[in-house]
Amino acid sequence: MSLESKHLLGLYGTSREDIELILDTARTFREVLERPIKKVPTLQGKTVVNLFFEASTRTRISFELAQKRLSADTINFTTSTSSTKKGETFKDTVRNIEAMKVDMIVVRHESAGVPQFLTRISNANIINAGDGTHEHPTQALLDMYSIKEKLNKLEGLKVCVVGDIAHSRVALSNIYGLTTMGAKVSVCGPSTMIPHSLIKLGVKIYNDIDKAIQENDVLNVLRIQLERKAGDRIPSLREYRNYFGITTERLNKFNKEIIILHPGPINRGIEISSEVADGPYQVILDQVTNGVAVRMAVLYLLGTKN
Ligand code: CP
């Protein structure tokens, strides 16, 4: 079994068979992560470069760890210590790195479309680790893995993505991936943060968080992205917390089991209270652990594709 594409640029157009293959392969690697020696020789001899032009904790470390667990050679590129500071272009930077015989490139960039552009100037397998407000496919895959781990299915589940949808690549990848897998996806937030074009994708829109909690099996709570000027779309953070923040008081109004995801980093006390972020319904650190297994699966399936 192999993936249809030699790249993972997004979940838009990624088939159900490919998503299932990645999630099933990740389950095998999740078991490897529980062994005393958490390493397999699968990508021995392959070289992967992590090109991060934007800040990251989880995704960058998770990809690097996944590459090491698969025995690949790993190189980390960060803009602050690179020759881009001396004026070298993005294209020249990539061409020079590839001239050192790199097999795979993992890229995060503040501009949407950079992973797609890389496929035109490079022969390596390209993996999107988050491009602007466009897509973050491995985050959505690990979110789906974590939901399935808890509820044993995706088909028919009601999943609501809450918060700053307009600025969120996580939201878009979740909407594409979960819809493909047969889940019923909705979004909830202030109308200034929800693009109404989502209705065309069959996504239900809530402006009332209590109703969203009442009607859904899973909430995927997003960060208010202040660095993308999300603050301009709401009167104040306090108001956002009062109307949309996920708190214990709010969850306790409804006597139901609900799974709470958050991709991180968390703004504690804004989109989610500390009590919920550390409480019994959340799977936030499971998502981080599962992320390594999911990224191992993606690297393995692309790196061994003929
Ligand atoms: N979830 C996520 O992408 O986190 P980082 O920005 O820390 O990688």
Side-chain angles (χ1 to χ4, degrees), residues 55-60 108 136 139 263-265:
S56 169
T57 298
R58 278 146 292 271
T59 313
R60 191 179 59 73
R108 169 170 287 196
H136 192 350
Q139 179 67 47

Side-chain angles (χ1 to χ4, degrees), residues 181-288:
M181 297 306 289
K184 292 186 177 65
V185 188
S186 57
V187 295
C188 179
S191 52
T192 48
M193 288 182 161
I194 297 183
H196 279 255
S197 54
L198 290 180
I199 294 170
K200 286 192 213 130
L201 300 177
V203 174
K204 180 172 177 171
I205 296 177
Y206 294 95
N207 295 122
D208 178 348
I209 189 63
D210 288 341
K211 201 151 191 268
I213 293 169
Q214 199 172 10
E215 293 184 0
N216 283 277
D217 305 301
V218 179
L219 298 183
N220 197 344
V221 184
L222 302 178
R223 181 171 65 92
I224 296 294
Q225 299 192 43
L226 295 171
E227 77 279 17
R228 295 193 209 275
K229 297 198 178 304
D232 293 355
R233 297 186 184 221
I234 46 176
S236 68
L237 292 177
R238 184 145 53 127
E239 198 133 354
Y240 180 85
R241 185 196 60 205
N242 290 346
Y243 281 95
F244 294 99
I246 307 301
T247 60
T248 307
E249 299 77 55
R250 212 158 233 150
L251 294 178
N252 284 349
K253 279 200 243 170
F254 309 97
N255 189 22
K256 63 178 285 193
E257 294 281 320
I258 193 160
I259 308 293
I260 309 279
L261 287 90
H262 192 306
I266 294 171
N267 294 312
R268 284 176 184 265
I270 300 177
E271 69 268 2
I272 190 168
S273 72
S274 271
E275 219 180 345
V276 176
D278 302 322
Y281 296 121
Q282 58 78 29
V283 294
I284 298 170
L285 292 181
D286 294 340
Q287 287 173 265
V288 177

Side-chain angles (χ1 to χ4, degrees), residues 40-59:
V40 288
T42 324
L43 288 189
Q44 214 159 42
K46 294 274 182 188
T47 305
V48 192
V49 61
N50 298 309
L51 284 185
F52 277 67
F53 288 86
E54 198 190 76
S56 169
T57 298
R58 278 146 292 271
T59 313

Side-chain angles (χ1 to χ4, degrees), residues 162-180:
V162 182
D164 185 6
I165 311 296
H167 289 98
S168 176
R169 53 197 177 206
V170 175
L172 209 48
S173 288
N174 263 271
I175 289 166
Y176 293 140
L178 283 161
T179 304
T180 300

